[in-house]
Amino acid sequence: MTAQGAGGQASAGVMGLEELLSLPATVNVVTASRALGISRDKAYELIRNGTFPVRTLALGGKTRVPTAELWKLLGVEGTYV
């Protein structure tokens, strides 16, 4: 799975590498789903089922996703950071 489409340009709705690398320490589920190239609804379904591919954090009624774990899953850990 890549964050960029053909020609190195970010596809509509899918996060490009530059945007991925500029994320804060944690992101919301919608942002995480864009990084992973899945829909928001699918992301929430995976979280409910306990099968989301990275750890999630329940903070004050909101769900956050650690960016470093997204980077690792997507293979950018240590390469660009």
Side-chain angles (χ1 to χ4, degrees), residues 43-68:
Y44 279 110
E45 176 187 328
L46 294 172
I47 290 168
R48 277 192 308 275
N49 294 335
T51 58
F52 196 72
V54 297
R55 177 174 55 116
T56 59
L57 308 168
L59 302 171
K62 297 184 186 264
T63 302
R64 303 294 291 180
V65 179
T67 300

Side-chain angles (χ1 to χ4, degrees), residues 3-20:
Q4 294 182 333
Q9 298 298 317
S11 302
V14 178
M15 192 172 293
L17 182 59
E18 186 175 326
E19 185 180 2
L20 182 65

